[in-house]
Amino acid sequence: MWVLDEWDLLRLATAAGADYLDQLEKDVLLHINMARANPAGYAEDFIEPRLQYFSDYFYREPGRPTLITAEGPDALVECIEDMEGTRPMEPLTPSPGLTMAASDHAQDLSSTGLTGHVGSDGSIFSQRIEKHGRWLATVGEVISYGPETGREIVLGLLIDDGVSDDSHRRNLLNPAFRLAGLAVEEHEAFGNVCVIEFAGDFVEE
């Protein structure tokens, strides 16, 4: 069902040569770039087909565990409409420094079992990023808990079920962001955690 044949993967797989990312992390960035390059097309190919698997608030895709959602299919309909009205934008390029910042927080959440954007040392994402370089123009962070594939991590962030301000989707589809770093670690409560850092520009130090 989730076909990639019609996508320009050569252009969108910007992390293909990034040896500091594992395959799951590369897949996450690939799907972010697909959503950015063609928001309407991504919604049509990867979000709209999910509507058929909803029964009230229960999502039952064949071969996957049943998910209980907060908003049901309404969150998908809103996401589809939003992405259909979003202009295509440039794909993100992976950044080693931003990846180190993402890894710092992912490892912290993994070892402590915490959630959220504040580290166990009280740090916020901009402070963690600044340990590895100097960011320019704008910066942001999103975190996913639970999904185990790049596609499902990105879909969860785009759909933003139960998130009133859709902040994850707005970050993934922010044309001001040009670079990204990401890290996936195990999490005792959710199975895994994926931290993604964004910047308009970044000077490695």
Side-chain angles (χ1 to χ4, degrees), residues 22-62:
D22 65 23
Q23 190 56 54
L24 173 56
E25 293 159 349
K26 291 179 181 181
D27 287 344
V28 171
L29 189 55
L30 171 62
H31 276 270
I32 293 174
N33 284 340
M34 292 167 65
R36 288 171 65 90
N38 187 354
Y42 194 84
E44 180 181 2
D45 285 357
F46 293 96
I47 300 176
E48 189 173 344
R50 298 169 75 91
L51 290 170
Q52 65 186 301
Y53 298 123
F54 269 93
S55 176
D56 294 324
Y57 292 92
F58 296 90
Y59 179 75
R60 298 185 175 96
E61 181 182 329

Coordinates of all heavy atoms in Angstrom, one line a residue, residues 22-62:
D22 N 21.8 6.0 11.4 CA 21.5 4.6 11.1 C 20.3 4.6 10.1 O 19.8 5.7 9.7 CB 21.2 3.8 12.3 CG 19.9 4.2 13.1 OD1 19.0 4.9 12.5 OD2 19.8 3.9 14.3
Q23 N 19.9 3.4 9.6 CA 18.9 3.4 8.5 C 17.6 3.9 8.9 O 16.9 4.6 8.1 CB 18.8 1.9 8.0 CG 18.0 1.8 6.8 CD 18.5 2.6 5.6 OE1 19.7 2.5 5.3 NE2 17.7 3.5 5.0
L24 N 17.2 3.7 10.2 CA 15.9 4.2 10.6 C 15.9 5.7 10.6 O 15.0 6.4 10.2 CB 15.6 3.7 12.0 CG 14.4 4.3 12.7 CD1 13.1 4.1 11.9 CD2 14.2 3.6 14.1
E25 N 17.0 6.3 11.1 CA 17.1 7.8 11.1 C 17.1 8.3 9.7 O 16.5 9.4 9.4 CB 18.4 8.2 11.9 CG 18.3 7.8 13.4 CD 19.6 7.7 14.1 OE1 20.6 7.7 13.4 OE2 19.6 7.6 15.4
K26 N 17.8 7.6 8.8 CA 17.8 8.1 7.4 C 16.4 8.0 6.8 O 15.9 8.9 6.0 CB 18.7 7.2 6.6 CG 20.2 7.4 6.9 CD 21.1 6.5 6.0 CE 22.5 6.7 6.4 NZ 23.4 5.9 5.6
D27 N 15.6 7.0 7.2 CA 14.2 6.8 6.7 C 13.3 7.9 7.2 O 12.4 8.4 6.5 CB 13.7 5.5 7.1 CG 14.3 4.3 6.3 OD1 14.9 4.6 5.2 OD2 14.1 3.2 6.7
V28 N 13.6 8.3 8.5 CA 12.8 9.5 9.0 C 13.0 10.7 8.2 O 12.0 11.4 7.8 CB 13.2 9.7 10.5 CG1 12.5 11.0 11.0 CG2 12.8 8.5 11.4
L29 N 14.3 11.0 7.9 CA 14.5 12.3 7.2 C 14.0 12.1 5.7 O 13.5 13.1 5.2 CB 16.0 12.5 7.2 CG 16.4 13.9 6.6 CD1 15.7 15.0 7.3 CD2 17.9 14.1 6.7
L30 N 14.1 11.0 5.2 CA 13.5 10.8 3.8 C 12.0 11.1 3.8 O 11.6 11.8 2.9 CB 13.7 9.3 3.4 CG 13.0 8.9 2.1 CD1 13.5 9.8 0.9 CD2 13.2 7.4 1.8
H31 N 11.3 10.6 4.8 CA 9.8 10.9 4.8 C 9.5 12.3 5.1 O 8.6 12.9 4.5 CB 9.1 9.9 5.7 CG 8.8 8.6 5.1 ND1 7.6 8.3 4.4 CD2 9.5 7.5 5.0 CE1 7.6 7.1 4.0 NE2 8.8 6.5 4.3
I32 N 10.3 13.0 5.9 CA 10.1 14.4 6.1 C 10.3 15.1 4.8 O 9.5 16.0 4.4 CB 11.1 14.9 7.2 CG1 10.8 14.3 8.6 CG2 11.1 16.5 7.2 CD1 11.8 14.7 9.6
N33 N 11.4 14.8 4.1 CA 11.7 15.4 2.8 C 10.6 15.2 1.8 O 10.3 16.0 0.9 CB 13.1 15.0 2.3 CG 14.2 15.7 3.1 OD1 14.0 16.7 3.7 ND2 15.4 15.2 3.0
M34 N 10.1 14.0 1.8 CA 8.9 13.7 0.9 C 7.8 14.6 1.2 O 7.1 15.1 0.2 CB 8.6 12.2 1.0 CG 9.6 11.3 0.4 SD 9.3 9.5 0.9 CE 7.8 9.2 0.0
A35 N 7.4 14.7 2.4 CA 6.3 15.6 2.8 C 6.5 17.0 2.5 O 5.6 17.8 2.1 CB 6.0 15.4 4.3
R36 N 7.8 17.5 2.6 CA 8.1 18.9 2.3 C 8.1 19.1 0.8 O 7.6 20.1 0.3 CB 9.5 19.2 2.9 CG 9.5 19.3 4.4 CD 11.0 19.5 4.9 NE 11.6 20.7 4.5 CZ 11.6 21.8 5.1 NH1 10.9 21.9 6.2 NH2 12.2 22.9 4.7
A37 N 8.7 18.2 0.0 CA 8.8 18.4 -1.4 C 7.4 18.4 -2.1 O 7.3 19.1 -3.1 CB 9.7 17.3 -2.0
N38 N 6.5 17.6 -1.6 CA 5.2 17.5 -2.2 C 4.1 17.2 -1.1 O 3.7 16.1 -1.0 CB 5.1 16.4 -3.3 CG 3.8 16.4 -4.0 OD1 2.9 17.1 -3.7 ND2 3.8 15.5 -5.0
P39 N 3.8 18.3 -0.4 CA 2.8 18.1 0.8 C 1.5 17.4 0.3 O 1.0 16.5 1.0 CB 2.6 19.5 1.3 CG 3.9 20.2 0.9 CD 4.2 19.7 -0.4
A40 N 0.9 17.9 -0.7 CA -0.4 17.4 -1.2 C -0.2 15.9 -1.6 O -1.1 15.1 -1.3 CB -0.9 18.2 -2.3
G41 N 0.9 15.6 -2.4 CA 1.1 14.3 -2.8 C 1.3 13.3 -1.7 O 0.9 12.2 -1.7
Y42 N 2.1 13.8 -0.7 CA 2.3 12.9 0.5 C 1.0 12.6 1.2 O 0.8 11.5 1.7 CB 3.4 13.6 1.4 CG 3.9 12.6 2.4 CD1 5.0 11.8 2.1 CD2 3.4 12.5 3.7 CE1 5.5 10.9 3.0 CE2 3.9 11.7 4.6 CZ 5.0 10.8 4.3 OH 5.5 9.9 5.2
A43 N 0.2 13.7 1.4 CA -1.1 13.4 2.1 C -1.9 12.4 1.3 O -2.6 11.6 1.9 CB -1.8 14.8 2.2
E44 N -1.9 12.5 0.0 CA -2.7 11.6 -0.9 C -2.2 10.2 -0.8 O -3.0 9.2 -0.7 CB -2.7 12.1 -2.3 CG -3.5 11.2 -3.3 CD -3.4 11.6 -4.7 OE1 -2.7 12.7 -5.0 OE2 -4.1 11.0 -5.5
D45 N -0.9 10.0 -0.8 CA -0.3 8.7 -0.8 C -0.2 8.0 0.6 O -0.3 6.8 0.6 CB 1.1 8.8 -1.4 CG 1.1 9.0 -2.9 OD1 0.0 9.0 -3.5 OD2 2.2 9.1 -3.5
F46 N 0.0 8.8 1.6 CA 0.3 8.2 2.9 C -0.6 8.5 4.0 O -0.6 7.8 5.1 CB 1.7 8.6 3.3 CG 2.8 8.1 2.4 CD1 3.3 8.8 1.4 CD2 3.3 6.8 2.6 CE1 4.3 8.3 0.6 CE2 4.3 6.3 1.8 CZ 4.8 7.0 0.8
I47 N -1.4 9.5 3.9 CA -2.4 9.9 5.0 C -3.8 9.5 4.6 O -4.5 8.9 5.4 CB -2.2 11.4 5.3 CG1 -0.8 11.7 5.8 CG2 -3.2 11.8 6.4 CD1 -0.5 13.1 6.1
E48 N -4.2 9.9 3.5 CA -5.6 9.6 3.0 C -5.9 8.1 3.1 O -7.0 7.8 3.5 CB -5.9 10.2 1.7 CG -7.3 10.1 1.2 CD -7.6 10.9 -0.1 OE1 -6.7 11.7 -0.5 OE2 -8.6 10.7 -0.7
P49 N -5.0 7.2 2.7 CA -5.4 5.8 2.7 C -5.6 5.3 4.1 O -6.3 4.2 4.3 CB -4.1 5.1 2.1 CG -3.5 6.2 1.2 CD -3.7 7.5 2.0
R50 N -5.2 6.0 5.1 CA -5.4 5.5 6.5 C -6.8 5.7 7.0 O -7.2 5.0 7.9 CB -4.4 6.3 7.4 CG -3.0 6.0 7.2 CD -2.1 7.0 7.9 NE -2.0 6.6 9.3 CZ -1.0 5.8 9.9 NH1 -0.1 5.3 9.0 NH2 -1.0 5.6 11.1
L51 N -7.6 6.6 6.3 CA -9.0 6.8 6.7 C -9.8 5.5 6.7 O -10.7 5.4 7.5 CB -9.6 7.9 5.8 CG -9.1 9.3 6.0 CD1 -9.6 10.2 4.8 CD2 -9.4 9.9 7.3
Q52 N -9.5 4.6 5.8 CA -10.3 3.4 5.6 C -10.2 2.5 6.8 O -11.0 1.6 7.0 CB -9.9 2.7 4.3 CG -8.5 2.1 4.4 CD -8.1 1.5 3.0 OE1 -8.7 0.6 2.5 NE2 -7.0 2.1 2.4
Y53 N -9.1 2.7 7.6 CA -8.9 1.8 8.7 C -9.4 2.3 10.1 O -9.1 1.7 11.1 CB -7.4 1.5 8.8 CG -6.8 0.8 7.6 CD1 -5.8 1.4 6.9 CD2 -7.4 -0.4 7.1 CE1 -5.3 0.8 5.7 CE2 -6.9 -1.0 6.0 CZ -5.8 -0.4 5.3 OH -5.4 -1.0 4.1
F54 N -10.1 3.4 10.0 CA -10.7 3.9 11.3 C -12.1 3.4 11.6 O -12.9 3.2 10.7 CB -10.8 5.4 11.2 CG -9.5 6.1 11.8 CD1 -8.5 6.4 10.9 CD2 -9.4 6.4 13.1 CE1 -7.3 7.1 11.4 CE2 -8.2 7.0 13.6 CZ -7.2 7.3 12.7
S55 N -12.3 3.1 12.8 CA -13.7 2.8 13.3 C -13.8 3.6 14.6 O -13.2 3.3 15.6 CB -13.8 1.3 13.7 OG -15.1 1.1 14.2
D56 N -14.5 4.7 14.5 CA -14.6 5.7 15.6 C -13.1 6.2 15.9 O -12.5 6.7 15.0 CB -15.3 5.1 16.8 CG -16.7 4.8 16.6 OD1 -17.4 5.6 15.8 OD2 -17.3 3.8 17.1
Y57 N -12.7 5.9 17.1 CA -11.4 6.4 17.5 C -10.3 5.3 17.4 O -9.1 5.5 17.8 CB -11.4 6.9 18.9 CG -12.2 8.2 19.1 CD1 -13.6 8.1 19.4 CD2 -11.6 9.4 18.8 CE1 -14.3 9.3 19.5 CE2 -12.4 10.6 18.9 CZ -13.7 10.5 19.2 OH -14.4 11.7 19.3
F58 N -10.7 4.1 16.9 CA -9.7 3.0 16.7 C -9.2 2.9 15.3 O -9.9 2.9 14.3 CB -10.5 1.7 17.1 CG -10.9 1.6 18.5 CD1 -12.2 2.1 18.9 CD2 -10.1 1.2 19.5 CE1 -12.6 2.0 20.2 CE2 -10.5 1.1 20.8 CZ -11.8 1.6 21.2
Y59 N -7.8 2.8 15.2 CA -7.2 2.7 14.0 C -6.7 1.2 13.9 O -5.8 0.8 14.7 CB -6.0 3.7 13.8 CG -5.3 3.5 12.5 CD1 -5.8 4.0 11.3 CD2 -4.0 2.9 12.5 CE1 -5.1 3.9 10.1 CE2 -3.3 2.8 11.3 CZ -3.9 3.3 10.1 OH -3.2 3.2 8.9
R60 N -7.2 0.5 12.9 CA -6.8 -0.9 12.7 C -6.3 -1.2 11.3 O -7.0 -1.5 10.4 CB -8.1 -1.8 13.0 CG -8.6 -1.7 14.4 CD -9.8 -2.7 14.6 NE -10.3 -2.7 16.0 CZ -11.3 -2.0 16.4 NH1 -12.0 -1.2 15.5 NH2 -11.7 -2.0 17.6
E61 N -5.0 -1.0 11.2 CA -4.3 -1.3 9.9 C -3.9 -2.8 9.9 O -3.3 -3.2 10.9 CB -3.1 -0.4 9.7 CG -2.4 -0.6 8.4 CD -1.1 0.2 8.3 OE1 -1.1 1.4 8.8 OE2 -0.2 -0.2 7.6
P62 N -4.2 -3.5 8.9 CA -3.9 -4.9 8.8 C -2.4 -5.2 9.1 O -1.5 -4.5 8.6 CB -4.2 -5.4 7.4 CG -5.3 -4.4 7.0 CD -4.9 -3.1 7.6

